[in-house]
Amino acid sequence: DRTAAAAMPPPQRVFAVPRQQSLLLPEVLNPFVQDTKLTKGAIIKCVLFGIILVPLRVILMSLVLMVTWPVSLIITFKHPLKGAVEPMTGWRRFMCRTLIAALGRAYYFSLGFRVVVKGEQAGSSEAPILVVAPHSTFFDGIVCIVAGLPSTVSRVENLATPIFGRFVRCLQPVLVSRHDPDSRKNTIQVIDSRAKSGGRWPQVLIFPEGTCTNRSCLITFKQGAFIPGVPVQPVIIRYPNKLFLPPHVPTEDEKKSPALFASRVRETMAQVLGVSVTDHTYEDCRLMISAGELTLPMEAGLVEFTKISRKLNLKWDNVKKELEGFAVRATSCKGGRITIEEFASFLKLPINPALEELFALFDRNGDGTIDFREYVIGVNILCRPANTDDVLQMAFQLFDTDEDGKITHNEFTALLRSALGVSDLNMTKLFREIDTDSSGFITFGEFQAFASTHPEYAKLFTTYLELQRYQALKEARPGELELAGDASSGENDEDSTSDKKDD
């Protein structure tokens, strides 16, 4: 027995997963913030020219709109937008491509725009979809005018906009409704059917970024334009010029993978623009706004959601909740980053090797502090598979030493002292936080709710479970020990591989 015990390897601790360059803090500037600084000369020029030009432009725009609205009304009269919708033909289509297009150019001319087009626009049979980037302003709608009024993707609410709503109807848009749970699926089906109509429908124009940026880079393209697997024509918007690139005909691999198709088209457009690409998405923009509302630095929300969601299977709602939890921590320490001392105080635990190991999972760049992006990665590494129901049930049973289905204060303190290797530990505050109904004991429901909202503790539970498993193996009989040791080794190897894959 003594020989077998001596040959037993030391207990394995779960150390920080090796950092990968792809998960370090993003080097790309914030693509969602535009910092415009005007010189005094530019401000004076704006004021002087504004006094003269603004009234003149308003008069010209009003005249154009006065003509555009009745023409749009005539074109769309008794032409359905829902149900069995057919593409406009005959005189309706002719008036759209000529008269409405001319009025659109006149409208933008009255705003001061001069359009220069480089490259040749492909026909709807050659490239059924136009993908336009970068998208930075409401005025990017000028592409619709220049491209001959292709269909667009538009919210249903836009149809009710005075004057402009009638103009949008002329485009026969693919309608999106935020109130319809099937809207996304239906939108993709409509885009697919129009793209494969053999030229019956006009081209579909899509801004694949899905939100506005500052044009410093191209963020991740949404896949809607690439799911049909048909040729797309990239259209680049520059101020002061615009460029049609040759159609991109998808390869067989790209037809099977819309994400690959979108990525390669984005790379082509970025090379021509001379800008970089980034894995930031519309979700990052929403997170950034949420961070600002929570008084965090807005950059805290830029977690490159798509990149790490692919690696960690993140869900938007979960990350939003984690941002709120992190905001509480960061706000109370009066800053956007947290040190290990502040982290320990939030967890109501002393600084010890186990806690330092836990903090290392969050501190991805090794600077001794954590920010929200590092926190998201660390939390999700801890949650998979540490906070499964099986692990929580087992951890609860370990706390519940007298097996009465309840955890008392003494049972809770004794186990955490053992798990942390600390003899002098006051767990009163933490116990009260878990004991939400102040009953003096913790039920499994309270324990489960706390673990799901405080995943930082998951590693402490699993560390103790590993120690218990090791102790059980030590006390096993010699024949059992060898067999159990081999099984445990294989299991650990598998877990290690899984962790590396997840990260």
Side-chain angles (χ1 to χ4, degrees):
D1 291 353
R2 191 174 299 170
T3 303
M8 185 66 191
Q12 293 188 358
R13 300 298 299 277
V14 184
F15 291 100
V17 180
R19 299 184 180 93
Q20 296 181 13
Q21 188 65 31
S22 64
L23 287 178
L24 294 179
L25 296 179
E27 297 178 359
V28 180
L29 295 176
N30 188 337
F32 304 113
V33 173
Q34 178 65 36
D35 185 16
T36 303
K37 296 180 181 178
L38 296 177
T39 63
K40 290 184 178 179
I43 294 174
I44 293 173
K45 185 186 294 186
C46 288
V47 172
L48 293 179
F49 279 100
I51 294 173
I52 301 172
L53 291 178
V54 169
L56 181 60
R57 295 193 188 285
V58 170
I59 293 173
L60 289 175
M61 284 190 294
S62 300
L63 291 174
V64 172
L65 291 176
M66 287 174 62
V67 177
T68 302
W69 185 81
V71 173
S72 301
L73 183 63
I74 293 172
I75 293 173
T76 58
F77 183 68
K78 288 190 175 182
H79 191 81
L81 279 175
K82 299 180 181 180
V85 181
E86 292 293 325
M88 287 185 180
T89 56
W91 64 272
R92 295 181 193 268
R93 185 61 187 157
F94 176 78
M95 289 185 69
C96 274
R97 294 186 66 89
T98 55
L99 191 53
I100 292 296
L103 289 169
R105 286 178 178 270
Y107 178 80
Y108 276 97
F109 178 82
S110 65
L111 288 173
F113 284 87
R114 308 292 184 273
V115 181
V116 177
V117 179
K118 297 181 181 180
E120 301 256 342
Q121 181 178 356
S124 58
S125 57
E126 184 182 359
I129 297 178
L130 303 175
V131 289
V132 186
H135 184 26
S136 59
T137 170
F138 170 81
F139 297 117
D140 291 343
I142 196 171
V143 181
C144 293
I145 305 300
V146 175
L149 272 71
S151 297
T152 59
V153 179
S154 175
R155 292 184 302 169
V156 175
E157 292 83 358
N158 291 340
L159 300 180
T161 306
I163 301 179
F164 289 100
R166 277 290 167 181
F167 173 75
V168 173
R169 286 171 180 259
C170 291
L171 303 177
Q172 287 197 281
V174 178
L175 297 176
V176 179
S177 173
R178 65 179 63 182
H179 304 296
D180 182 4
D182 297 325
S183 180
R184 183 178 184 276
K185 180 181 69 176
N186 295 336
T187 299
I188 292 174
Q189 289 176 347
V190 173
I191 293 175
D192 185 78
S193 63
R194 293 192 183 188
K196 296 177 180 177
S197 66
R200 288 182 60 247
W201 280 92
Q203 290 169 298
V204 181
L205 187 147
I206 297 175
F207 293 94
E209 291 177 295
T211 187
C212 289
T213 69
N214 57 16
R215 301 195 302 273
S216 64
C217 55
L218 294 183
I219 65 174
T220 301
F221 283 3
K222 292 183 174 295
Q223 298 177 22
F226 307 95
I227 289 176
V230 299
V232 302
Q233 183 167 28
V235 183
I236 292 173
I237 299 180
R238 279 183 180 145
Y239 292 91
N241 66 62
K242 185 169 63 63
L243 178 63
F244 282 92
L245 297 180
H248 183 113
V249 180
T251 63
E252 289 303 317
D253 288 341
E254 290 170 352
K255 289 180 181 179
K256 295 175 183 176
S257 173
L260 177 64
F261 191 5
S263 177
R264 288 181 177 172
V265 171
R266 181 176 66 145
E267 289 174 3
T268 300
M269 299 174 75
Q271 288 175 1
V272 176
L273 282 167
V275 300
S276 59
V277 297
T278 173
D279 285 313
H280 291 118
T281 62
Y282 175 59
E283 284 75 16
D284 286 288
C285 184
R286 294 168 67 190
L287 274 173
M288 188 191 72
I289 294 172
S290 298
E293 293 172 348
L294 295 168
T295 69
L296 284 172
M298 295 185 77
E299 288 75 12
L302 295 176
V303 298
E304 291 185 288
F305 188 86
T306 294
K307 179 187 290 184
I308 62 173
S309 65
R310 291 193 193 117
K311 292 180 179 287
L312 302 176
N313 194 28
L314 298 184
K315 303 298 181 186
W316 161 254
D317 290 337
N318 293 342
V319 174
K320 181 69 162 56
K321 291 177 182 176
E322 287 167 11
L323 176 61
E324 294 170 355
F326 183 85
V328 174
R329 293 162 168 76
T331 302
S332 58
C333 71
K334 300 180 180 178
R337 303 182 69 86
I338 297 174
T339 64
I340 188 170
E341 291 80 10
E342 292 158 339
F343 188 64
S345 69
F346 294 132
L347 297 184
K348 303 176 181 67
L349 297 173
I351 298 176
N352 57 80
L355 191 72
E356 289 172 349
E357 190 176 315
L358 170 62
F359 187 80
L361 278 174
F362 295 94
D363 185 12
R364 302 294 298 180
N365 61 359
D367 67 349
T369 63
I370 60 174
D371 71 359
F372 176 63
R373 185 167 185 266
E374 295 170 324
Y375 178 77
V376 167
I377 296 169
V379 162
N380 281 274
I381 290 172
L382 292 177
C383 284
R384 293 217 321 271
N387 264 357
T388 63
D389 288 340
D390 290 342
V391 170
L392 292 178
Q393 186 71 51
M394 196 178 303
F396 183 83
Q397 291 172 358
L398 286 172
F399 279 103
D400 185 18
T401 55
D402 57 3
E403 299 182 357
D404 63 350
K406 303 174 184 177
I407 299 175
T408 65
H409 183 278
N410 290 337
E411 290 171 334
F412 182 74
T413 303
L415 184 134
L416 278 187
R417 279 176 180 170
S418 176
L420 296 172
V422 178
S423 58
D424 184 16
L425 185 65
N426 186 353
M427 303 304 301
T428 302
K429 289 184 179 179
L430 183 57
F431 184 86
R432 288 176 179 172
E433 188 172 343
I434 304 176
D435 181 20
T436 53
D437 59 1
S438 302
S439 61
F441 54 81
I442 298 172
T443 64
F444 178 70
E446 291 172 329
F447 184 76
Q448 188 178 35
F450 179 81
S452 63
T453 55
H454 297 75
E456 302 91 337
Y457 290 91
K459 184 174 184 299
L460 301 179
F461 299 152
T462 53
T463 297
Y464 187 74
L465 291 175
E466 288 173 359
L467 293 175
Q468 291 294 306
R469 180 172 58 183
Y470 168 64
Q471 187 65 31
L473 291 175
K474 272 184 67 174
E475 296 173 357
R477 288 175 295 182
E480 295 175 346
L481 180 60
E482 183 179 354
L483 179 62
D486 291 342
S488 176
S489 177
E491 184 179 346
N492 286 338
D493 289 343
E494 184 179 347
D495 290 346
S496 177
T497 303
S498 174
D499 284 345
K500 289 178 182 176
K501 286 181 180 178
D502 289 341
D503 191 41

